[in-house]
Amino acid sequence: MTERVLTAPGGRVGWATWTTFIIAALFLISLWAIEFSPQIMLQVPAKVAEDLKAYYPPDMAYGWEAVLPAIVESIQIAWVGTIIAAILSLPLALFGARTLFPRVARIVKFISATARAFPEILLAIYFVPIVGLGPFAGALAIGISSVGMLTKLGAEVVESIDFGPVEAVEASGGSRILALRYAVLPQVLPEIVAHWLFRFELNIRASAVLGVVGAGGVGGVLLNTLSYRHLEKAAAVLILTIIVVLAIDMISGAIRRRIINS
């Protein structure tokens, strides 16, 4: 039985082998750069278990009184931000499809990549001085940050459609705008809406962090409890946040499956 070797014809090392070596080398260099220590890693589970004891028992009375309103605010921030991103990303996704607008698509893809380069937390830090402390800054940060990813995913969906109906509309005298309305949108909207819902799930997690910089949501409550070492209250914040996020994930996932399979 002969062994299979990742070599190119002529006995030379193939690209797959070189790629593996490069990835392994970059991994080892990164471990050294972040000062990775096997001894510390072995101690982490015991230290985490010891630290969690300070959070018990959680103050659920505080959770129901102070945390739930903040969680609702985080959901509202994520929802408004997602709607903003959906409205902006739909036309950008259409113009970003190379099969429909090859010249404009390059500009749109550059805009999309630029928007993806800024995390929500950095945008929130930028918007807070402009619009003031509160959830509106968080909604703007999430909306702008989400535009980049939704545009990219939407453009990929548009590029994968059956181009036959588009050609049929244009062959019958219809404009490109009519082709988008009657041939493109009916094909892509279900999958694009599914992407919007998935992004909403991610935005809820992001909105829970934005309160740290004063952009509203449950993050501010969590920061206050940790700052004053009220760990039992912090535990209630974490527990309720996790429960709500998991529930929304389940509901959103069911809706996405129904939309895609319909």
Side-chain angles (χ1 to χ4, degrees):
M1 183 176 178
T2 59
E3 295 183 357
R4 300 178 64 182
V5 182
L6 294 176
T7 57
R12 293 175 298 174
V13 177
W15 67 268
T17 304
W18 279 114
T19 302
T20 303
F21 286 151
I22 292 172
I23 292 175
L26 292 175
F27 176 70
L28 294 175
I29 293 172
S30 300
L31 288 179
W32 174 79
I34 66 173
E35 300 179 357
F36 172 79
S37 172
Q39 293 80 7
I40 295 178
M41 280 299 301
L42 293 175
Q43 297 172 5
V44 166
K47 289 185 177 181
V48 169
E50 183 67 25
D51 185 65
L52 288 178
K53 294 179 181 178
Y55 291 81
Y56 184 83
D59 186 357
M60 298 308 295
Y62 171 81
W64 296 114
E65 178 183 353
V67 179
L68 278 184
I71 293 177
V72 171
E73 186 177 70
S74 290
I75 296 173
Q76 293 168 339
I77 292 171
W79 180 249
V80 173
T82 305
I83 295 298
I84 293 173
I87 293 173
L88 295 177
S89 66
L90 181 57
L92 287 175
L94 294 174
F95 286 106
R98 288 172 296 181
T99 52
L100 295 175
F101 303 97
R103 295 182 179 178
V104 182
R106 294 182 178 180
I107 300 175
V108 173
K109 289 183 182 299
F110 175 78
I111 296 173
S112 172
T114 303
R116 294 197 305 273
F118 293 94
E120 295 89 350
I121 191 73
L122 292 182
L123 290 173
I125 293 173
Y126 176 77
F127 281 122
V128 164
I130 295 177
V131 301
L133 296 170
F136 183 48
L140 286 178
I142 285 179
I144 299 302
S145 178
S146 300
V147 166
M149 183 56 68
L150 290 180
T151 299
K152 179 179 185 297
L153 295 175
E156 291 176 353
V157 173
V158 175
E159 289 174 352
S160 64
I161 65 171
D162 178 10
F163 210 72
V166 178
E167 295 174 341
V169 171
E170 294 181 342
S172 61
S175 64
R176 178 54 59 91
I177 299 299
L178 289 177
L180 293 177
R181 169 63 182 85
Y182 294 103
V184 177
L185 286 179
Q187 295 187 66
V188 302
L189 268 184
E191 192 168 350
I192 286 180
V193 171
H195 287 317
W196 291 349
L197 289 173
F198 181 65
R199 187 66 199 188
F200 172 61
E201 299 174 20
L202 300 178
N203 287 341
I204 290 178
R205 296 172 175 81
S207 66
V209 180
L210 297 184
V212 174
V213 295
V218 73
V221 179
L222 179 60
L223 179 64
N224 289 334
T225 57
L226 292 175
S227 299
Y228 292 102
R229 300 297 295 174
H230 296 159
L231 300 183
E232 69 285 349
K233 295 181 179 180
V237 176
L238 293 172
I239 290 173
L240 290 176
T241 302
I242 292 172
I243 291 174
V244 171
V245 169
L246 289 177
I248 292 176
D249 279 358
M250 293 175 60
I251 296 172
S252 177
I255 295 175
R256 282 190 288 111
R257 288 191 295 271
R258 188 176 184 88
I259 290 174
I260 293 175
N261 295 329
S262 61

